[in-house]
Amino acid sequence: MSGTVLSLRGITKTFGAVAALTAIDLDVRRGEVVAVVGDNGAGKSTLVKILSGVHAATEGTITFEGRQVTIAGPADAHALGIATVFQDLALCENLNVIENLFLGQELGPYRLDDVAMEVRSWELLRQLSAKIPSVRTPIASLSGGQRQTVAIARSLLADPKVVILDEPTAALGVAQTAEVLGLIRRLREQGLGVIMISHNMADVKAVADTVAVLRLGRNNGVFAADEVSEEEIVAAITGATQNAIGNASGNAIGNVSGNTGGLRS
Amino acid sequence: MSTPTDLLDERLIGRAGVRGAAEGMLDRVRSGDLGVLPVVIGLLVIGTVFQLLNPIFLSSTNLVNLTLELVPVGVMALGVVCVLLVGQIDLSVGSAGGLTSAVMAVLFVSKGMPAVVAVLAALALGAVIGWIYGQILNRFGVPSFVITMAGLLGLLGVQLYVLGAQGSINLPFDSSLVAFAQLAFLPPWLSYALVVVAAVWLFLSGHLHARRRRRAGLSARSVNLLLARSAALLVGVGAVVWYLNQTRGVGWMFVLFLGLVLVMHYVLSRTRFGKSMYAVGGNAEAARRAGINVKAVYTSVFVLCSTFAAVGGVLAAARLAAVNQASGGGDVNLNAIAAAVIGGTSLFGGRGTAFAALLGIVVIQAISSGLTLLNLDSSFRFMVTGAVLLLAVAVDSVARRSRVSHGRA
């Protein structure tokens, strides 16, 4: 496999007394789809926010293309080539599709090139087989699935090296889910590293090369997707690897602390 | 010819040409996207009522006066539009204008500095005030409402201190400043020439843009529509200019205001900075994640607003030929905000245009002028302006609800 593009070592993030992430290691190679799975509050969204510069890690190192880097803000992540599609999409409802796609990276800062931006917008949306009738309508008038498509299209605009998708298919219809999964495969063919956060095992098995399991903010196993069964992944997510009693108590603790982490993240 | 890229979706309703544009506009109004319609209707009502009560109201003399009187607060309203767009507020534009004009008067009259230096110093002071507001907002997270309310009082105090015991400084009548605000009018030929240039420029820029869109395979406005638009501008503005030219004509100060509005319109709609202002006002967190430096946007918008306030203050001083303790006081602060809101700027951020300042201040100044002509004192002016502000916001709120239910919010 080709070289590692993004490598995390010992990433820890605490919110006050709550350790949302503890000593997380993660490697993403070029042309690899890494699915990060875990129960609610396992720290998946916190991990996304650290990589995209929304939160700073409390401890640990991030190595990007062989260089150790710090991601202090969203602009740093952009500059490195890490593009993120957030679960809450982070779109401006008062702006139209084109303005949202190019937000912060408009063509022609002092004299906007709206023709070029509209042409590029249509290219991106066609590539995603997006069902958006007009790119000049404000985001407020689009459905959830259409908004998701706009958010994904936006992440591809700046030719990123790593794309992070936080629950990309959660709000999508059947056809759009298939399109997004197809798109993720195309990203892989283009040599991009893809991190996909997902709850949907079918999606994970369909596109992921590697499955990294988080549990209670810690690494709980990294599997090659074609060598692992769905049951094994679920077992790693829930911690159901020992006897039934340990499993049940582990679940209870997981849910309590997990929810706290979810609220803070 | 094949269908343009942006009209391929079969769900789109085809609309082309002048008629299509009219239908589209009607559709927007029905779904609550009113645009400038309420203001235009409001102005028609105001014009009709006051003209019936006092035939002088729509006379050329009075309208010329109106165009000059509205400029100082109009410029301040332009700054308020920017602040409202990013979802903040500045309650202290009047005080900032009063203080900066006082400093200008002290430098110009008492210290004998050249007018240019005095004015530039006033503008620089305005910029510094805005920069301080921005720093307090960004570093301490104090709501801008509170920061600028403190500024409202504090700056007024500084203004009184700067003016000293005398409390009033007269600007010499033969100075260039006073001449600019009171006596400088465009020669008629130049005013008509500017109207023609504007109409031709509107057509040419629209035509070139439409050609680029067609080449890129996108839909574009038809030549007929562009011609109709330019003709409407030519006839409409031409008629107003002709009417103003019956007496003194178009003041340079008003042209300056129009120029500032056009520049701000360009900045807001055609630059990255303008888009980032709308984004911050619409969803500051989304803007931050898109890599926009939200704090820098806040700071620069407050600097812009206070600088406009300084320009307004200097123009008000030049118009009055004096700076006194009441400069920038009274209803100036609230009129500037009311003008921005009446013109269609949302108090909740992310919605509005530079033209809101122009339209809003025309409404407010028309009411003020009409009531003055009826010999009604400021008690009535305050009451009526308050009622109009409430009405404008009520119309906007109803329209917003309609937009939400039509999926246009």
Side-chain angles (χ1 to χ4, degrees):
Chain A
M1 184 109 25
S2 51
T4 304
V5 60
L6 179 67
S7 175
L8 307 183
R9 286 291 172 269
I11 293 292
T12 299
K13 176 69 187 174
T14 55
F15 293 103
V18 179
L21 293 176
T22 310
I24 296 294
D25 296 342
L26 187 72
D27 288 299
V28 182
R29 280 171 282 276
R30 290 188 183 82
E32 180 187 37
V33 177
V34 178
V36 176
V37 297
D39 212 342
N40 282 338
K44 308 185 298 283
S45 288
T46 308
L47 188 63
V48 170
K49 284 176 178 168
I50 286 171
L51 287 175
S52 58
V54 174
H55 295 318
T58 314
E59 277 172 41
T61 59
I62 301 172
T63 312
F64 191 82
E65 293 188 310
R67 283 184 302 123
Q68 190 171 325
V69 295
T70 50
I71 303 176
D76 291 352
H78 278 279
L80 289 172
I82 300 175
T84 310
V85 180
F86 292 98
Q87 197 171 358
D88 62 2
L89 304 185
L91 299 170
C92 289
E93 298 215 340
N94 58 330
L95 299 180
N96 68 28
V97 176
I98 305 174
E99 288 165 335
N100 267 290
L101 285 176
F102 285 87
L103 191 57
Q105 43 205 3
E106 290 89 349
L107 304 177
Y110 302 106
R111 190 166 187 281
L112 296 185
D113 191 346
D114 56 339
V115 176
M117 287 197 283
E118 185 160 349
V119 170
R120 182 89 177 94
S121 300
W122 282 113
E123 277 173 21
L124 282 168
L125 294 173
R126 292 272 137 77
Q127 194 184 338
L128 285 165
S129 306
K131 303 283 190 292
I132 292 174
S134 167
V135 290
R136 296 200 164 270
T137 49
I139 293 295
S141 62
L142 298 184
S143 71
Q146 288 171 328
R147 292 178 198 205
Q148 180 81 47
T149 318
V150 172
I152 293 176
R154 181 166 76 181
S155 73
L156 302 178
L157 194 64
D159 286 329
K161 300 192 177 72
V162 173
V163 178
I164 304 167
L165 303 162
D166 193 357
E167 300 278 1
T169 57
L172 298 188
V174 177
Q176 279 167 319
T177 300
E179 280 301 330
V180 169
L181 295 181
L183 177 83
I184 292 172
R185 290 192 194 95
R186 250 171 285 159
L187 297 179
R188 174 171 59 195
E189 284 156 21
Q190 288 164 21
L192 298 182
V194 179
I195 300 175
M196 181 175 81
I197 313 290
S198 188
H199 269 126
N200 188 326
M201 286 305 137
D203 292 353
V204 169
K205 290 290 285 180
V207 293
D209 301 302
T210 309
V211 181
V213 180
L214 295 187
R215 179 169 147 71
L216 305 182
R218 292 171 186 275
N219 281 109
N220 203 29
V222 177
F223 307 94
D226 47 4
E227 293 167 7
V228 69
S229 71
E230 212 167 288
E231 287 73 23
E232 283 172 281
I233 299 176
V234 172
I237 291 173
T238 57
T241 43
Q242 299 93 29
N243 58 53
I245 298 163
N247 174 19
S249 64
N251 257 345
I253 295 163
N255 283 339
V256 171
S257 58
N259 284 343
T260 317
L263 282 174
R264 295 293 185 88
S265 65
Chain B
M1 193 182 146
S2 64
T3 315
T5 321
D6 54 334
L7 299 181
L8 283 177
D9 195 288
E10 59 204 30
R11 287 167 293 176
L12 284 176
I13 302 158
R15 284 202 173 105
V18 179
R19 189 156 161 229
E23 280 173 2
M25 195 184 291
L26 198 67
D27 204 42
R28 276 201 298 279
V29 169
R30 280 210 193 107
S31 61
D33 196 354
L34 300 178
V36 298
L37 193 69
V39 181
V40 172
I41 292 175
L43 277 176
L44 286 178
V45 172
I46 292 168
T48 314
V49 170
F50 282 124
Q51 179 68 10
L52 289 175
L53 293 172
N54 187 338
I56 297 172
F57 181 70
L58 287 182
S59 68
S60 178
T61 318
N62 192 46
L63 290 188
V64 169
N65 213 25
L66 194 84
T67 57
L68 295 178
E69 287 296 330
L70 63 79
V71 173
V73 184
V75 174
M76 292 178 182
L78 202 53
V80 174
V81 167
C82 299
V83 174
L84 288 179
L85 273 183
V86 296
Q88 303 290 337
I89 196 160
D90 188 344
L91 298 170
S92 70
V93 283
S95 301
L99 170 61
T100 51
S101 64
V103 168
M104 184 272 294
V106 167
L107 293 179
F108 179 49
V109 179
S110 310
K111 307 280 181 200
M113 288 187 183
V116 182
V117 177
V119 170
L120 287 180
L123 300 192
L125 177 61
V128 169
I129 292 170
W131 185 82
I132 293 172
Y133 285 167
Q135 294 307 308
I136 297 173
L137 178 74
N138 289 335
R139 286 176 197 277
F140 306 115
V142 184
S144 57
F145 184 87
V146 177
I147 301 171
T148 56
M149 197 152 63
L152 168 84
L153 293 170
L155 296 179
L156 180 61
V158 182
Q159 179 184 348
L160 300 185
Y161 179 80
V162 167
L163 287 171
Q166 201 179 349
S168 174
I169 298 175
N170 291 324
L171 303 181
F173 264 100
D174 52 0
S175 67
S176 53
L177 266 176
V178 178
F180 173 77
Q182 298 193 348
L183 304 169
F185 290 88
L186 271 69
W189 65 266
L190 184 56
S191 60
Y192 294 123
L194 281 182
V195 176
V196 173
V197 167
V200 171
W201 179 80
L202 183 68
F203 175 76
L204 278 183
S205 66
H207 183 63
L208 291 176
H209 188 243
R211 203 172 64 179
R212 283 196 59 213
R213 283 182 64 88
R214 267 188 218 101
R215 283 196 183 149
L218 299 169
S219 69
R221 289 194 172 103
S222 69
V223 176
N224 282 342
L225 180 64
L226 293 171
L227 276 176
R229 195 175 66 166
S230 281
L233 178 83
L234 188 67
V235 173
V237 180
V240 172
V241 168
W242 172 82
Y243 194 64
L244 293 178
N245 275 331
Q246 296 310 297
T247 49
R248 285 191 289 170
V250 184
W252 273 109
M253 193 164 75
F254 187 64
V255 174
L256 171 71
F257 178 44
L258 284 184
L260 289 176
V261 169
L262 289 176
V263 167
M264 279 319 293
H265 177 68
Y266 180 86
V267 169
L268 290 178
S269 60
R270 303 282 292 159
T271 69
R272 179 180 290 179
F273 176 63
K275 292 292 175 198
S276 65
M277 281 169 64
Y278 283 97
V280 169
N283 187 343
E285 180 59 20
R288 195 172 82 86
R289 290 192 200 166
I292 292 171
N293 188 341
V294 176
K295 290 183 173 182
V297 171
Y298 283 143
T299 304
S300 42
V301 165
F302 273 105
V303 167
L304 202 58
C305 178
S306 292
T307 310
F308 274 129
V311 174
V314 169
L315 290 176
R319 180 96 189 111
L320 189 67
V323 177
N324 55 40
Q325 293 180 336
S327 290
D331 55 355
V332 172
N333 280 313
L334 292 180
N335 271 353
I337 296 169
V341 174
I342 289 173
T345 310
S346 169
L347 284 168
F348 306 101
R351 189 176 277 275
T353 69
F355 289 108
L358 174 64
L359 292 167
I361 196 63
V362 168
V363 169
I364 286 188
Q365 202 61 48
I367 293 169
S368 167
S369 159
L371 293 175
T372 310
L373 284 178
L374 295 178
N375 271 333
L376 295 173
D377 59 18
S378 52
S379 62
F380 284 91
R381 212 177 68 225
F382 285 138
M383 287 190 271
V384 173
T385 309
V388 170
L389 175 64
L390 192 60
L391 186 70
V393 177
V395 168
D396 183 49
S397 301
V398 173
R400 174 199 302 274
R401 229 179 288 159
S402 176
R403 281 200 301 271
V404 170
S405 66
H406 287 81
R408 273 180 185 267

